[in-house]
Amino acid sequence: MLKDPWQRILLLMALVFAVNGLFLLIFPPTEQEPVAQIAYSRFKNELSRERIAEVTLQGEGLSGIFWEPLSLSSEDVVAAQFEGIRPYKRFRTNIPPFGDPGLIAFLEEHEVVINVEPPEKTPVWVNLLANLLPWIIIFGVWWYIFRRARQQGGMGGNILNKFSKSGARMYTHKASSKTFRDVAGLAEAKQELQEIIAYLRNPGKFERLGGKMPRGILLVGPPGTGKTLMARAVAGEAEVPFFNISASQFIELFVGVGASRVRDLFTNAKKNAPSIIFIDELDAVGRSRGTGLGGGNDEREQTLNQLLSELDGFEPHDEVVVMAATNRPDVLDTALLRPGRFDRQVVVGRPDWRDRVKILEVHTRNMPLADDVNLEIIAKGTPGMVGADLEGLANEAALIAAREDTDKVFMIHFEQAKDRQLMGMERKLFMSDQEKHITAIHEAGHTLVAVCLPNTDPIHKVTIIPHGQALGMTQQLPEDDRYHYQRSYLLARLAVSLGGRAAEKLCFGEYSTGAQNDLKQVMDLAEKMVCQWGMSEKIGPLSFSRGEEHPFLGLKLASEKSFSDKTAWLIDQEIEKLVNAGQDCAEQILSENRDVLEALADSLVEEETLDQERLEEFFKERTLTLPDKSQTES
Ligand code: ATP
């Protein structure tokens, strides 16, 4: 058949022309005598002049014949088809709607032949067609859309069916092809999941002994730590099919679709049991109920209710394990975490450096690594990075090596990839000498404060080459993984962040817009110190949530502000105090070491980037005036 719509339109037009031609051939148009449509007054006039021979009355219409053809100009004829004067033998006129009682007598008086015909009746089929046509068109359009949707919905599918399908991707254990060998580190999580694997491999054994396996397992951890990977590996190890869906896929425009998708997912999984259902981003539907605003959340709640009832509705012989992942277990509806539902939580945390080595080993398995590559050094230099970051890093290193056309991936490629991940892509931006100088002073300010203060992370790199949105960058990297942040460390961090701005004020006498991001970070940090970590003496060990969550996402509205106006005022005072202390500290360090600040800025303008080694060399040659202890701990 013709696929191109234009071809179809052309074909249709050709058909219409052909039918029309055929019709004209069979019923050729007859040459008809012209009929003048005249005004009623004119008709009466001609009648009184004895010029009319015959009339035919039909409803409100009156037609007739003149004794002799009458020459009428186009002005005499209502809606004349022709220009100029023309003789007419026949005429037609309309009787006024209120009638003309004397007409018949008048006609008889002038001896006109009177014919009467019943009013023209519309044929039944025309009436029928007129009534049915709109319905035929509506039905035709509907049928067309329905057929198209069926075709697109696949074999045997229809549009409603398509919406209610869960959309989950099913992997057979061969297609899933992930095992614990692909998951590096995470030893405790693997340990906890061994039991589930054993159950899925041999469900009968557990049931015989009357044991009940946990149905729902919640994998909790920051993004990119390998939760999806872990769930797939469990399916791979147990050799069972794996149904993967993201909770956000349940939510559609139409109410009720989410619930039917949940039903479809569970029905499919039960059909393929033993199997694993994995719901990613569970918080997308699993947030606490009754807290949202607007209609959109009703759909979410219906979906959640359906999910809860499906979790309850398992028969003992349904060998289906439901795994879900979230990085916000705190916002989940408590009903989801009740015994019998997601009652077992497995933490998939950030890897420590030893696990990072293992993750790097997994992702460099198939790479030709040069002898100088030391994964341990890379792992130690990437604190805070998760599996997804490390996978990206290894990949980026391979891409850089390919771009440089080397036959192996060298350590330098990993270093470059790390910088790219930490600082963003380098941006080619023309900067005037003046701009470069301002950026250099700003970055030198951060660096110098960081070097002078105890309790700060070493500087990994400082640069005035624009990266991402930033014009320059001072990159600090902790020497080791940090799990605790002490007050003195955070105070130093505030001072370092404010160092750039303080340096600008010191050298140029005014601030520039370059510190926007620094100020945001400072504000966030100071607020957390006061409101969440109890680090303000005046406020003490109290915790307040202050605008850290968006109520539209389902957080309890009541908890948005859990303190009095007086406390709010005190919080503001304490935040201000912390930020001012940081600023004073930075200003003092920089003014006492102004010559070093300017020398560092000059080196930056000259070399553009200074790495850790180069910085050590720079500071070795200089004496710094360090702040006294009381100042750094206030
Ligand atoms: P999100 O919460 O954003 O969905 P996630 O925790 O589910 O993230 P995954 O999608 O499983 O993270 O991980 C992303 C990628 O990171 C995986 O494709 C995997 O290659 C890599 N990765 C993460 N953790 C590990 C690990 N422990 N071992 C090996 N690779 C890992």
Side-chain angles (χ1 to χ4, degrees), residues 408-575:
K408 282 187 174 167
V409 187
F410 289 86
M411 191 67 174
I412 179 85
H413 301 138
F414 281 96
E415 287 293 337
Q416 286 171 3
K418 186 172 97 179
D419 284 349
R420 198 165 281 184
Q421 286 238 329
L422 290 174
M423 316 212 279
M425 281 286 266
E426 259 183 46
R427 203 153 51 103
K428 295 266 171 289
L429 189 72
F430 176 77
M431 289 214 290
S432 65
D433 289 347
Q434 167 73 356
E435 292 270 3
K436 272 191 191 166
H437 190 213
I438 297 175
T439 315
I441 288 286
H442 184 103
E443 299 308 329
H446 287 307
T447 309
L448 192 54
V449 176
V451 170
C452 290
L453 282 176
N455 293 320
T456 52
D457 294 326
I459 304 278
H460 168 64
K461 206 163 256 187
V462 47
T463 177
I464 56 163
I465 300 173
H467 282 77
Q469 291 293 312
L471 293 177
M473 201 168 268
T474 305
Q475 188 70 46
Q476 287 175 278
L477 259 190
E479 274 170 337
D480 215 339
D481 295 312
R482 273 183 183 275
Y483 302 102
H484 284 108
Y485 296 95
Q486 284 169 318
R487 187 170 184 272
S488 55
Y489 171 85
L490 297 174
L491 285 174
R493 221 181 149 115
L494 288 177
V496 173
S497 298
L498 290 163
R501 193 168 169 276
E504 284 182 39
K505 176 82 174 159
L506 183 70
C507 297
F508 307 115
E510 61 178 340
Y511 299 117
S512 76
T513 52
Q516 184 186 355
N517 212 21
D518 298 337
L519 294 181
K520 196 171 171 313
Q521 279 177 11
V522 164
M523 194 62 197
D524 283 353
L525 183 57
E527 191 170 306
K528 281 198 176 123
M529 286 173 76
V530 175
C531 297
Q532 288 179 28
W533 301 326
M535 289 186 182
S536 137
E537 263 148 41
K538 274 214 180 125
I539 289 184
L542 297 178
S543 167
F544 306 104
S545 54
R546 225 171 82 128
E548 87 228 43
E549 263 293 346
H550 210 284
F552 292 97
L553 297 179
L555 187 86
K556 286 185 191 69
L557 285 175
S559 73
E560 204 195 347
K561 189 170 180 284
S562 57
F563 43 85
S564 68
D565 288 347
K566 186 170 167 254
T567 313
W569 180 83
L570 204 60
I571 289 173
D572 288 340
Q573 297 293 307
E574 287 300 287
I575 291 175

Side-chain angles (χ1 to χ4, degrees), residues 182-184 186 222-229 280 327 359 363 387-388 391:
D182 301 292
V183 188
L186 298 171
T225 42
K227 297 181 290 295
T228 313
L229 180 69
D280 206 355
N327 37 41
I359 295 174
H363 292 293
E391 184 186 8

Side-chain angles (χ1 to χ4, degrees), residues 219-281:
L219 302 176
V220 180
T225 42
K227 297 181 290 295
T228 313
L229 180 69
M230 184 62 112
R232 282 183 73 173
V234 170
E237 289 284 327
E239 301 188 353
V240 296
F242 176 73
F243 291 83
N244 186 3
I245 193 166
S246 167
S248 53
Q249 273 173 271
F250 288 132
I251 307 294
E252 263 287 349
L253 191 61
F254 309 111
V255 176
V257 168
S260 64
R261 285 188 177 171
V262 171
R263 227 172 296 133
D264 182 66
L265 174 66
F266 278 74
T267 314
N268 267 341
K270 282 180 200 167
K271 257 191 244 160
N272 291 283
S275 61
I276 292 183
I277 292 177
F278 177 67
I279 306 173
D280 206 355
E281 302 164 38

Side-chain angles (χ1 to χ4, degrees), residues 29-103:
T30 46
E31 193 57 49
Q32 278 190 345
E33 233 182 305
V35 180
Q37 173 80 28
I38 54 174
Y40 188 65
S41 55
R42 177 73 191 247
F43 154 71
K44 290 281 266 301
N45 200 349
E46 298 302 336
L47 186 60
S48 56
R49 289 191 193 169
E50 311 278 346
R51 285 190 182 155
I52 294 176
E54 187 181 329
V55 294
T56 305
L57 295 163
Q58 190 177 33
E60 285 183 1
L62 185 152
S63 53
I65 305 170
F66 296 119
W67 283 114
E68 292 295 327
L70 192 68
S71 290
L72 293 171
S73 71
S74 52
E75 278 132 41
D76 297 325
V77 179
V78 186
Q81 283 172 306
F82 311 98
E83 280 298 311
I85 297 175
R86 195 185 156 94
Y88 289 91
K89 179 94 170 108
R90 293 176 170 276
F91 70 91
R92 198 186 300 129
T93 188
N94 290 328
I95 303 169
F98 43 84
D100 184 353
L103 177 65

